[in-house]
Amino acid sequence: MGIQDIIEGKRQWRAHVARVKALPPDYQIVYQEMQRYFFKVGPVDLADGNLLPELVDFFEEGVAAGKGVLELIGDDVAAFADGLIKDSRTYADAYQESLSTKPGADGK
C-alpha cells in the first residue's frame, strides 16, 4: 500500500463520516452503535467491503422517505446488525478457528 492509497483511503473515510454527520440524530446514534459493534465483532473484511457505505445509503433513503430509523430497521437494532453480517466471516469465527487449530485443542 503506497502513500497515495493511504491518502485516498483517508479522503474516502472523511467523506463517509461527513455523510453520517448529515443524518438526523436518531440515525447517527443507531449508525454509531452498529459501527462500534461491527468494529468489535463484525466481518473480517469490514475495511475492504462496502457494508458501512451501503448502510449509510440505506439510512439516507430512509430519511428521504420520511421514516424514523427504528421504523426502517425495526426495534431490535442488534438483530438487524447481525442480519447484515450473517453470511460473513467474523473476528469471532477467526478466533474460534485459531483455538481449534492449536495443539491440544481437542483435549489430548
Side-chain angles (χ1 to χ4, degrees), residues 5 8 27 31 34 37 51 53-54 59 89 96:
D5 295 332
E8 182 58 29
Y27 277 86
Y31 173 85
M34 290 175 67
Y37 175 71
L51 177 63
E54 288 174 359
F59 281 1
R89 186 167 178 263
Q96 287 297 324

Side-chain angles (χ1 to χ4, degrees), residues 29-97:
I29 291 168
V30 170
Y31 173 85
Q32 290 166 352
E33 289 303 316
M34 290 175 67
Q35 179 190 37
R36 207 172 285 127
Y37 175 71
F38 291 146
F39 284 161
K40 192 179 297 183
V41 300
V44 174
D45 63 349
L46 183 64
D48 300 328
N50 292 322
L51 177 63
L52 294 177
E54 288 174 359
L55 182 60
V56 175
D57 292 342
F58 180 63
F59 281 1
E60 288 171 338
E61 290 171 12
V63 170
K67 295 183 178 183
V69 68
L70 295 181
E71 183 182 354
L72 189 65
I73 66 169
D75 291 334
D76 192 343
V77 177
F80 181 80
D82 283 338
L84 292 176
I85 61 170
K86 69 179 182 215
D87 296 328
S88 302
R89 186 167 178 263
T90 64
Y91 289 112
D93 296 333
Y95 179 69
Q96 287 297 324
E97 291 167 7

